[in-house]
Amino acid sequence: MGSRFVHIVDDDQPVRDSLRWLLSSADIDSQAYDTPEAFLEATRAQPDGCVLLDICMPGIDGVTVLKRLASGGMTAPVIIMTGHGNQSDADEVLRLGAADFIEKPFAADRLLAVIERVMVPPAQADAR
């Protein structure tokens, strides 16, 4: 796995499938997880690439996952996605270290632009 890799964490199978298809069409590799627990188990070390994380899931929610990643010294950028967002949620996840917050439904080109932006290494972003 390299820097052009996205971990998709969403409990909705059609969402996971469509996101994997979209990323594949943009030559971005991905792995999908149906639960936060499956993602955390598979990525005990810091995940490569970036994480596309739904905020509302049964069991552990996206905010809790983000907190766990942050407490472990998170280096992978995390994009929070939600179908039920508000400004308070956005403020909280950004304060906790999320790279961005995107509301469902979103346009494919908008999501791809966000992913491309957050996956740019800091040194390259500073050179722009």
Side-chain angles (χ1 to χ4, degrees):
M1 288 184 274
S3 61
R4 288 186 52 84
F5 190 90
V6 176
H7 297 272
I8 302 163
V9 187
D10 196 301
D11 60 321
D12 188 334
Q13 179 73 45
V15 169
R16 291 192 308 273
D17 291 345
S18 65
L19 288 171
R20 290 205 69 195
W21 178 87
L22 173 64
L23 295 171
S24 176
S25 72
D27 293 323
I28 300 172
D29 294 325
S30 65
Q31 176 65 47
Y33 307 91
D34 61 349
T35 66
E37 294 88 351
F39 165 70
L40 292 169
E41 179 67 27
T43 59
R44 287 183 180 221
Q46 286 294 324
D48 291 336
C50 77
V51 180
L52 187 56
L53 178 62
D54 190 17
I55 199 170
C56 295
M57 292 179 283
I60 302 173
D61 66 6
V63 173
T64 302
V65 173
L66 183 61
K67 287 177 181 177
R68 286 187 185 181
L69 292 172
S71 71
M74 171 179 59
T75 57
V78 177
I79 301 165
I80 296 290
M81 57 182 175
T82 184
H84 311 287
N86 59 49
Q87 189 61 47
S88 176
D89 290 339
D91 291 345
E92 179 181 13
V93 298
L94 293 173
R95 182 182 50 77
L96 291 171
D100 211 324
F101 180 89
I102 188 167
E103 291 186 69
K104 298 176 189 176
F106 40 75
D109 58 342
R110 178 161 184 260
L111 177 63
L112 290 173
V114 169
I115 290 170
E116 291 293 339
R117 179 181 52 78
V118 303
M119 288 201 303
V120 173
Q124 288 180 7
D126 292 342
R128 288 185 179 178

